Amino acid sequence: MDKIIVRGNGPLRGETHASGAKNAALPILAASLLAEGEHSFRNVPQLADVGTMLAVLRTMGCEAERHQGRQKHLCRVRVPHQVVPEAPYALVKTMRASVLVLGPLLARHGRARVSLPGGCAIGARPIDQHLKGLRALGAEIDLSGGYVEARAKRLRGAVVAFDLITVTGTENVMMAAVLARGRTVLENAAREPEVEELAGVLNKMGARISGAGSGEITIDGVDCLRPVDHAIIPDRIEAGTLLVAAAITGGEVLVKNVVPEHLEAVLQKLREAGCRIRAEAGGIRLSGPQTVRPVSVKTAEHPGFPTDMQAQLMSLTSVADGTSIISESIFENRFMHVAELRRMGADISVEGATAVVRGVDRLSGAPVMATDLRASASLILAGLRAEGRTAVSRVYHLDRGYERLERKLRALGADIRRVRE
Ligand code: EPZ
């Protein structure tokens, strides 16, 4: 297993860019199952999770390859007329987003056998809303042996009112509805930019979806879809992480390939923390403050402050000049970075879903352990600020969602490198 070694090395300066969005690429790759033929996807991030989704597609009989070298962000997926509509436990357990093949398989092949995703470090993460939506569209669903067994002759349109807002639940049911007979309305739908992006790709394939990005999405079923060529939108969470790297080191960085309106809530909090932020050259330029001001936040569904930026903001506030209150309302166990940040000298106490972060003058480098994707990023951010050497172990978590983050940070002046353990 690799480790990331980072030493506080002063302000970061220069230009970098966000890669393609992981949480857009995963549902879009699953959507390729809806149309026979050759799909091509550009700006696909080189991530472990993307590799897992391509492996899932291959086990179904698709040809799926990532190009290397200069075209390394190009993916081609050839979907046959008939696929093996199964997603095995061995793959689903490594990436819960594999469950996104359920909707497409049911819609186009009339059946699916997909392993129930286990929980993960940040929470139980059930899929009851996914199944509720698919049943509403007429699917027969049984759970047996840890698998979802689903069947449907032809799905039919329905009104699906989600009991809670779920990103992949919205995406799964939207993908099932595009080939259903008649109209489907998703109420209490997720509004994330990645949901809107998926709807855009489905419409390019011939679907008829309106309202994506709002809480109510309407899908009029069609008889068939065609393969697509598409470039994935930039990753707003990676962009936010790079901006926090500039903020926590008091540097000045231009992050290109960013859609500012996808990050409005994050930019607002960074301004409150004392950062100067402006749009520039298709990206965002951030100048970090000499003294970080405390900020308080409660994570929420989009357009609220994203839970995927909670750990990164906590690292920033751990060196603020005052006390910040950070509440996590989406996942039940997303504070595992707290214990590791404490090892670096942070003063954080957790009461249920709320963390009280009392800013300290300095952090000290220490050996720490990544526990989940965004926690690993937050530990690297703290290491950029800390005095001395921080060694982050289990960085396979990081590689699930960041394309060689250490290279991007090194190019900005960070003293950071990856070592094989
Ligand atoms: C997506 O996960 C993202 N993953 C997550 O990003 C992100 O943190 C999350 O949305 C919230 O924004 C992808 O898009 C691949 P949810 P998802 O369904 O869809 C509960 C990252 O770091 N729930 O919106 O799995 C659930 O337990 C990852 O990139 C049910 O109870 O999240 C959670 O508490 C981490 N029943 C809440 O809803 C359901 O059927 C929101 O979950 C579905 C969800």
Side-chain angles (χ1 to χ4, degrees), residues 22-23 125-129 166-168 308 330-331 374:
K22 167 176 86 81
N23 291 348
R125 302 184 73 182
I127 60 166
D128 56 295
Q129 297 297 308
T166 160
V167 174
T168 49
D308 291 349
I330 305 293
F331 290 110
R374 306 303 174 182

Side-chain angles (χ1 to χ4, degrees), residues 265-274 292-300 304-306 309-310 313-314 316-318 320-328 353-359:
V266 173
L267 300 180
Q268 177 53 38
K269 287 299 163 187
L270 292 176
R271 287 191 189 96
E272 281 180 37
V292 177
R293 290 205 294 265
V295 293
S296 291
V297 74
K298 182 175 168 58
T299 64
F305 188 91
M309 282 296 302
Q310 179 256 104
L313 185 74
M314 189 179 290
L316 179 62
T317 57
S318 70
D321 179 21
T323 298
S324 307
I325 310 289
I326 296 180
S327 301
E328 172 57 57
T354 298
V356 178
V357 185
R358 294 175 185 80

Side-chain angles (χ1 to χ4, degrees), residues 22-24 26-27 49 53 95-100 120 122-132 162 164-171 190 192 194-195 235-237 300-302 306-309 312 328-332 334 372-375 400-402:
K22 167 176 86 81
N23 291 348
L26 296 175
D49 275 6
M53 183 58 86
M95 185 188 66
R96 352 168 358 78
S98 315
V99 76
L100 282 165
C120 78
I122 62 177
R125 302 184 73 182
I127 60 166
D128 56 295
Q129 297 297 308
H130 299 232
L131 304 182
K132 167 184 173 163
F162 288 107
L164 51 83
I165 294 174
T166 160
V167 174
T168 49
T170 299
E171 293 167 342
E192 270 67 7
E194 293 77 22
V195 174
D235 192 315
R236 61 195 172 99
I237 304 301
E301 298 87 355
H302 195 77
T307 173
D308 291 349
M309 282 296 302
Q312 298 91 311
E328 172 57 57
S329 69
I330 305 293
F331 290 110
E332 64 266 32
R334 205 169 196 176
D372 61 271
L373 168 54
R374 306 303 174 182
R400 296 191 50 180
Y402 289 94

